[in-house]
Amino acid sequence: MTRLIFLGPPGAGKGTQAQLLSKTCQVPHISTGDILRGAVAVQSELGKKAEFYMSAGELVPDDLILDLIRERLAESDAADGWLLDGFPRTIPQANFLETLLEEIKQPCDFVVNLEVPDEVLVARLLSRGREDDQEEVVKNRLVVYRDRTQPLIDFYRNRQKLVSVDGNQPMESVTNDLKALVQA
Ligand code: AP5
């Protein structure tokens, strides 16, 4: 049973590593970014509301995200573990998750903070070319990360949950470090 939260700036490799580890650990990879992009693609009510924020590199308001996480963690495939990628992203989201995990008796094992220097992040994102990977939007995503998400590092450090991993290595090396952590 593995329950991990992936923290880290845009481009740190959260999605890449969570996807790989989900196969090793046989638990679902739950990415709020992927869920929101899926909603935008089908132009659901959620997608129509989220698109405006995502295209500007801003966070989608909590009222669109919190119920979505509550419902996703209640699905049967998440009963025996999960890897959360992109959630929580703000202190209110982290407080919400802490209460929810207590309610559903699913404590998180630890929080992986993937560390990568800014210049590497920008280069990775500009060469990927997702819709929100344009230079100005990437810059704003990094500002929003520093302002809203980085405080979660101390939030989880204070709860003795934080483990930092060097994300500025070849993908395979990062994966090996993560496997060593979950298998320890
Ligand atoms: P989200 O999809 O979560 O985007 P992000 O956090 O900006 O993360 P990225 O997907 O860009 O980076 P990543 O760390 O996953 O790296 P990846 O593995 O993809 O969110 C998008 C938007 O949705 C937000 O801006 C917001 O609007 C909204 N949103 C989502 N969650 C929300 C929430 N909880 N609250 C409010 N709003 C929310 O890798 C990036 C690239 O680098 C890839 O090309 C990859 O191949 C490459 N790469 C990865 N690892 C390596 C490596 N070790 N070496 C070389 N290249 C690598």
Side-chain angles (χ1 to χ4, degrees), residues 8-18 31-34 36-37 50 53-62 65 69 85-90 93 114 116 120-121 124-125 127-130 132-133 141 144 167-172 174:
K14 303 180 295 293
T16 304
Q17 295 300 333
S31 155
T32 42
D34 286 349
L36 292 169
R37 277 184 290 279
Y53 300 95
M54 295 172 79
S55 61
E58 294 292 332
L59 295 182
V60 168
D62 283 354
I65 295 279
I69 282 291
D85 154 22
F87 187 93
R89 243 179 159 96
T90 62
Q93 288 185 10
L114 286 177
V116 179
V120 177
L121 299 171
R124 283 184 188 177
L125 295 176
S127 66
R128 176 174 61 180
R130 201 169 74 190
D132 56 348
D133 287 339
R141 283 161 63 201
V144 169
N168 190 21
Q169 317 176 66
M171 282 183 205
E172 243 180 60
V174 181

Side-chain angles (χ1 to χ4, degrees), residues 18-160:
Q19 201 172 359
L20 291 167
L21 209 62
S22 107
K23 293 194 184 102
T24 309
C25 301
Q26 300 199 312
V27 294
H29 164 209
I30 301 177
S31 155
T32 42
D34 286 349
I35 295 170
L36 292 169
R37 277 184 290 279
V40 171
V42 299
Q43 285 291 291
S44 65
E45 279 312 303
L46 168 66
K48 284 181 198 161
K49 288 180 189 158
E51 193 170 16
F52 168 78
Y53 300 95
M54 295 172 79
S55 61
E58 294 292 332
L59 295 182
V60 168
D62 283 354
D63 61 335
L64 298 182
I65 295 279
L66 301 184
D67 284 345
L68 183 155
I69 282 291
R70 185 190 294 282
E71 284 162 24
R72 183 63 188 88
L73 289 182
E75 285 179 32
S76 57
D77 68 332
D80 291 330
W82 34 257
L83 304 175
L84 276 184
D85 154 22
F87 187 93
R89 243 179 159 96
T90 62
I91 295 283
Q93 288 185 10
N95 282 323
F96 166 87
L97 184 65
E98 192 168 55
T99 306
L100 175 63
L101 296 183
E102 274 170 26
E103 261 171 45
I104 62 177
K105 300 190 173 46
Q106 295 190 8
C108 130
D109 303 332
F110 49 87
V111 177
V112 175
N113 181 37
L114 286 177
E115 295 182 323
V116 179
D118 274 10
E119 61 276 16
V120 177
L121 299 171
V122 172
R124 283 184 188 177
L125 295 176
L126 295 184
S127 66
R128 176 174 61 180
R130 201 169 74 190
E131 213 154 302
D132 56 348
D133 287 339
Q134 297 147 37
E135 197 165 355
E136 286 311 304
V137 181
V138 165
K139 275 191 199 154
N140 193 39
R141 283 161 63 201
L142 283 169
V143 169
V144 169
Y145 166 78
R146 303 276 171 242
D147 189 33
R148 313 280 304 278
T149 308
Q150 197 161 266
L152 296 186
I153 294 176
D154 278 343
F155 180 96
Y156 286 116
R157 188 181 283 128
N158 290 340
R159 285 158 176 74
Q160 278 88 45

